[in-house]
Amino acid sequence: MTTAQTRNLLIVNGPNLNLLGTREPAIYGSDTLEDVEAAALAAASAHGWTVDCVQSNHEGDLIDAIHSARGTADGIVINPAGYSHTSVAIADALSGVELPVVEVHLSNIHRREEFRHHSFVSAVAEAVICGAGISGYRMAVEYLVQISEPSGG
Ligand code: DQA
């Protein structure tokens, strides 16, 4: 855990989320990655928390970012995107750093193709939010603050 003055969350976005805003807007909406990160920052700032944001299209880079959260973050919000459905290694990295994790998907993965219904990350997440669009990131931040500061800090 970081100090009370520097509570911090790592916001991780996986492959293709750099294309948000132009990528299949009927499914993912018109908000950009910048909008997503700004929403997470605004939600965290309201509680005096900070965020570090990372997006990568590369599994190993995502794993390195997750490892770097140990000792620098109090929790992780992650949209593993396509890697949700394939990556044991990302799920292992998340368990390995022993931080609370909230998994977010912009779309409702359970209403979509069957191969999207299973996420390896869900088994290591405290909570999973899907189908709420960009609001899911705000909810994830709120939840991580709430479980770290149950009295509402
Ligand atoms: C996604 C859902 C995934 O199935 C997909 O591969 C993505 C985005 C979402 O945010 O809805 O890239 O994680």
Side-chain angles (χ1 to χ4, degrees):
M1 189 195 291
T2 58
T3 64
Q5 289 76 22
T6 59
R7 298 267 195 163
N8 182 50
L9 294 175
L10 179 65
I11 314 296
V12 182
N13 281 294
N16 302 305
L17 295 174
N18 53 313
L19 301 180
L20 281 179
T22 56
R23 174 193 183 202
E24 300 181 88
I27 297 174
Y28 298 116
S30 54
D31 291 312
T32 63
L33 178 63
E34 208 173 49
D35 296 330
V36 163
E37 292 178 345
L41 173 62
S45 303
H47 297 277
W49 287 45
T50 59
V51 295
D52 290 319
C53 296
V54 62
Q55 186 278 327
S56 177
N57 298 322
H58 305 281
E59 189 173 19
D61 289 346
L62 293 166
I63 291 167
D64 288 343
I66 292 164
H67 290 176
S68 75
R70 199 205 276 267
T72 64
D74 297 280
I76 299 176
V77 175
I78 183 165
N79 182 345
Y83 286 137
S84 316
H85 319 299
T86 63
S87 180
V88 171
I90 288 177
D92 282 349
L94 290 165
S95 333
V97 297
E98 297 180 320
L99 289 167
V101 173
V102 178
E103 177 183 2
V104 174
H105 299 281
L106 292 152
S107 65
N108 181 349
I109 54 176
H110 300 291
R111 266 197 191 167
R112 300 184 61 195
E113 304 95 322
E114 197 160 348
F115 67 85
R116 297 186 200 275
H117 296 182
H118 176 262
S119 165
F120 286 99
V121 169
S122 299
V124 301
E126 299 294 322
V128 181
I129 301 168
C130 73
I134 192 171
S135 299
Y137 289 82
R138 290 193 199 100
M139 293 179 206
V141 168
E142 288 289 338
Y143 184 67
L144 287 169
V145 170
Q146 186 201 308
I147 62 175
S148 297
E149 299 179 345
S151 57

